[in-house]
Amino acid sequence: MTSSGPLRHARSALIWLCVLVVGLLGVLIAGVATGQTETSPKLALDLEGGTQMILAPRVDGDAAINQEQLQQAVEIIRQRVDGSGVSEAEISTQSGSNVVVSMPGTPDSKTRELIQASANMEFRPVIMAGSFNATPEDQRLADDEVPEPTGEPENASDTNWITADLYREFEAYDCEAALADRSVESTDADEPAIACDPSTGAKYIVGPVEVDGERISDATHGPARNSQGYQTGGWAVQLSFDSAGAKQFGDVTSRLVSMQGAQNQFAIMLDGLIVSAPTANVPILDGNAEITGNFSEESSQQLAEQLKYGALPISFDIQSEQQISATLGANQLEMGLVAGIIGLVLVAVYSLFQYRTLGFLTLASLVVAGILTYLALVLLGWSANYRLSLAGIAGIIVAIGLTADSFIVYFERIRDELRDGRNLVAAVETGWMRARRTIVVSKAVNLLASVVLYIMAVGNVRGFAFTLGLTAIADLIVVFLFTHPMLQLLARTRFFGSGHRLSGLDPSLLGVEALYKGAGKVRQFNPAVRPKKNTGETERRLTIAERRRAEEQQSAPGQDRSSVATKEDDNA
């Protein structure tokens, strides 16, 4: 009955591990069968090559771009690219005037549009709405019917911003043609403008800018909820402003809620193009707004990314685009894999030398950890477009040694318990209780270091940090769901339970003498009585006090090793 608990725990843990592996494998097979992914991880720019785009800054007139603006643009473009799920992209400046974007593989249209949409984010109130295409000439207003300003505009929503010339331009403006020749550009922030909304097929006359995109502090997407907190089945975008933006946005929404028709809307514009034009239902005074509409999960995520990273101070044109080859290539990949195999072999040799047959459990645990890591890399490549770089492979190689550390800590704890006189079943449980905290703390430190490195670093270093953290999690899963349960089962086998000399857990090789010998006798230290083949190891494990005591006993007058042995034999 005492062993039923550990055995049940061991079997339960192994079943959960099988469920996890089979589940991940099933998702991968489904993805491969539907043509959505492949069986191997996606490779990064340094191993696979990709696309390089050179972006030239677009300025008005003789305005110049300073280095601070260019660096800010680089950081924002980097955030946009990383936010789209593409990892290991390289963003840099060229000759102090251009931005070079190098991305692995061929970017999809969504990512390409995200990079091209490099402009200032603006919030403008809508003054008038119209059809997406130009109004047919026979349907346009007569000259005496065209609206004219009756006075100075009182706010950004005032219809007095609409002059006769602006209205005629609005009638003739064809959004479809403007988008086709990419003639949509940023406009003067202090003047009204004509803008198109491709998502709804409408065009608007919008007022001057009332909230700048730089005031956005964060933007996320998630399921839309009603006033009672229940999900409505749709998707929404949540955005928050800094203190100045919250005040400006509160003033705008307070004014718009009292207006009717198109004037109840405020347009969110990126590069002169409307990305969304929601209505204002209530005044939003705390700087936290939610945009709802006919969003899908993908479109809400895209809008959130545009809002979050849209405050780019300058705009760019794609000056050139070309395919580039891998910077390192297949040879470097093969060398990295060879280095990993060498590391694995060295760990295997050490484990078999140090722990005999028990070393095979270390190898099996490494194989399970490798399977989990491989499946995670492939599935992350599919779901999050994660790409494996040479730096990421280095992180996996380093993790082989870190993973072996966990087994060494556990096995040595078990050996300590055997030296204290416990049988193997008890030693496995007690040793696990002592080793578990050490392993968890060690992996927590590894994971924390990986997270900090990933947040603080850029480029390939992030790939190293990512795989290091990923393998730390895989290591914990393996130790808890495979290594310990397997040892619980092996401890009850005759080979390991009887302490076979090749099991790695032979008490005679560990310098073990039972603490309690029976009949009221307990173990007494006597260096003359040692297992014949473990003398060196036992001496190495003596404390300083024990060594001094042994030396005193050996140097005592009239008492030599043979007399001590004789006395011990007499006592026995």
Side-chain angles (χ1 to χ4, degrees), residues 33-49:
T34 56
Q36 300 181 62
T37 184
E38 299 178 352
T39 55
S40 58
K42 290 183 177 179
L43 299 180
L45 184 67
D46 56 350
L47 299 176
E48 188 184 62

Side-chain angles (χ1 to χ4, degrees), residues 258-301:
S258 61
M259 295 189 170
Q260 303 296 321
Q263 286 184 291
N264 181 243
Q265 297 175 263
F266 64 95
I268 304 172
M269 298 177 58
L270 185 63
D271 197 17
L273 194 68
I274 294 178
V275 295
S276 183
T279 58
N281 300 323
V282 293
I284 300 173
L285 306 177
D286 61 354
N288 297 311
E290 182 178 85
I291 303 173
T292 58
N294 297 322
F295 289 125
S296 62
E297 180 180 4
E298 183 180 7
S299 61
S300 64
Q301 180 184 6

Side-chain angles (χ1 to χ4, degrees), residues 301-547:
Q301 180 184 6
Q302 184 175 5
L303 177 57
E305 291 171 355
Q306 287 175 325
L307 290 170
K308 189 174 182 179
Y309 307 124
L312 192 61
I314 50 180
S315 303
F316 290 90
D317 290 322
I318 296 180
Q319 192 176 63
S320 65
E321 179 177 341
Q322 62 179 347
Q323 297 296 313
I324 57 175
S325 58
T327 56
L328 296 176
N331 291 337
Q332 298 296 328
L333 176 60
E334 292 176 0
M335 292 179 65
L337 295 177
V338 169
I341 294 173
I342 292 175
L344 186 62
V345 170
L346 292 177
V347 170
V349 170
Y350 172 80
S351 298
L352 295 176
F353 176 77
Q354 180 70 12
Y355 299 110
R356 280 71 169 183
T357 307
L358 192 61
F360 285 106
L361 181 59
T362 301
L363 298 181
S365 300
L366 287 174
V367 170
V368 176
I371 293 173
L372 288 175
T373 304
Y374 185 85
L375 289 174
L377 290 176
V378 177
L379 294 177
L380 285 172
W382 174 21
S383 60
N385 205 17
Y386 171 76
R387 291 179 178 272
L388 183 63
S389 65
L390 193 61
I393 294 176
I396 295 175
I397 295 174
V398 171
I400 295 175
L402 298 178
T403 302
D405 282 349
S406 302
F407 309 140
I408 293 174
V409 169
Y410 185 23
F411 294 163
E412 290 300 325
R413 290 291 190 188
I414 293 176
R415 286 186 160 193
D416 287 342
E417 298 302 323
L418 291 174
R419 292 187 182 97
D420 285 341
R422 291 187 172 87
N423 60 48
L424 182 57
V425 173
V428 167
E429 299 304 326
T430 309
W432 171 248
M433 295 295 293
R434 297 175 61 187
R436 181 174 58 189
R437 178 178 299 177
T438 303
I439 295 172
V440 171
V441 170
S442 172
K443 296 306 165 188
V445 171
N446 289 345
L447 191 58
L448 179 62
S450 302
V451 171
V452 172
L453 187 60
Y454 185 85
I455 295 175
M456 301 299 294
V458 296
N460 287 339
V461 180
R462 300 185 78 180
F464 174 83
F466 183 83
T467 53
L468 197 61
L470 182 67
T471 50
I473 296 174
D475 183 19
L476 282 176
I477 294 175
V478 170
V479 169
F480 276 81
L481 297 183
F482 182 76
T483 309
H484 174 53
M486 284 300 297
L487 258 179
Q488 288 178 307
L489 298 178
L490 293 176
R492 288 162 174 80
T493 62
R494 184 176 180 180
F495 181 78
F496 286 95
S498 62
H500 192 280
R501 299 182 66 81
L502 296 178
S503 66
L505 298 171
D506 180 6
S508 66
L509 296 175
L510 303 177
V512 172
E513 183 181 2
L515 179 62
Y516 181 71
K517 300 180 178 180
K521 296 181 179 179
V522 296
R523 180 181 61 199
Q524 294 182 350
F525 176 76
N526 189 339
V529 180
R530 296 169 180 164
K532 293 182 180 179
K533 294 186 178 180
N534 70 333
T535 304
E537 182 173 356
T538 304
E539 287 181 342
R540 286 196 300 270
R541 301 192 68 82
L542 292 178
T543 63
I544 295 176
E546 288 172 338
R547 288 198 186 97

Side-chain angles (χ1 to χ4, degrees), residues 53 55-56 58 72-73 76-81 101 103 108-122 179 182 184-186 198 268-275 302-318:
M53 291 180 286
L55 307 178
R58 185 196 313 158
Q72 186 179 353
I76 292 175
I77 292 176
R78 190 194 311 281
Q79 291 173 339
R80 287 181 173 184
V81 173
V101 181
M103 306 172 64
D108 55 19
S109 57
K110 176 184 172 184
T111 304
R112 196 184 302 274
E113 291 173 0
L114 198 62
I115 294 175
Q116 291 175 342
S118 304
N120 287 326
M121 179 71 70
E122 300 171 341
L179 293 175
R182 311 189 66 80
V184 178
E185 298 180 354
S186 296
I268 304 172
M269 298 177 58
L270 185 63
D271 197 17
L273 194 68
I274 294 178
V275 295
Q302 184 175 5
L303 177 57
E305 291 171 355
Q306 287 175 325
L307 290 170
K308 189 174 182 179
Y309 307 124
L312 192 61
I314 50 180
S315 303
F316 290 90
D317 290 322
I318 296 180

Side-chain angles (χ1 to χ4, degrees), residues 57-256:
R58 185 196 313 158
V59 296
D60 297 328
D62 298 331
I65 303 299
N66 59 44
Q67 283 301 310
E68 183 179 355
Q69 289 177 312
L70 203 60
Q71 287 299 328
Q72 186 179 353
V74 168
E75 291 303 318
I76 292 175
I77 292 176
R78 190 194 311 281
Q79 291 173 339
R80 287 181 173 184
V81 173
D82 290 345
S84 67
V86 179
S87 63
E88 308 295 345
E90 297 178 1
I91 319 292
S92 60
T93 59
Q94 183 186 61
S95 304
S97 58
N98 296 333
V99 174
V100 180
V101 181
S102 302
M103 306 172 64
T106 303
D108 55 19
S109 57
K110 176 184 172 184
T111 304
R112 196 184 302 274
E113 291 173 0
L114 198 62
I115 294 175
Q116 291 175 342
S118 304
N120 287 326
M121 179 71 70
E122 300 171 341
F123 289 79
R124 293 172 180 252
V126 173
I127 302 177
M128 180 179 289
S131 60
F132 199 63
N133 298 320
T135 305
E137 292 188 4
D138 58 348
Q139 298 178 15
R140 297 178 185 177
L141 296 179
D143 290 342
D144 57 349
E145 295 177 348
V146 173
E148 292 281 354
T150 58
E152 290 296 324
E154 296 180 356
N155 53 59
S157 299
D158 197 329
T159 55
N160 284 321
W161 286 105
I162 303 176
T163 62
D165 293 340
L166 179 60
Y167 187 82
R168 287 299 187 195
E169 183 183 358
F170 179 70
E171 284 184 318
Y173 199 86
D174 191 329
C175 288
E176 196 169 309
L179 293 175
D181 64 7
R182 311 189 66 80
S183 62
V184 178
E185 298 180 354
S186 296
T187 54
D188 190 341
D190 297 326
E191 296 293 332
I194 300 173
C196 304
D197 186 354
S199 62
T200 59
K203 66 181 177 186
Y204 303 98
I205 294 179
V206 293
V209 175
E210 292 203 294
V211 183
D212 196 276
E214 294 181 355
R215 298 301 178 189
I216 298 176
S217 58
D218 194 16
T220 59
H221 75 289
R225 300 178 183 276
N226 57 24
S227 57
Q228 286 75 38
Y230 296 105
Q231 293 186 11
T232 61
W235 290 87
V237 176
Q238 295 84 26
L239 69 159
S240 56
F241 296 89
D242 59 16
S243 56
K247 174 66 171 59
Q248 296 170 348
F249 195 72
D251 294 340
V252 175
T253 53
S254 298
R255 184 182 72 242
L256 295 185

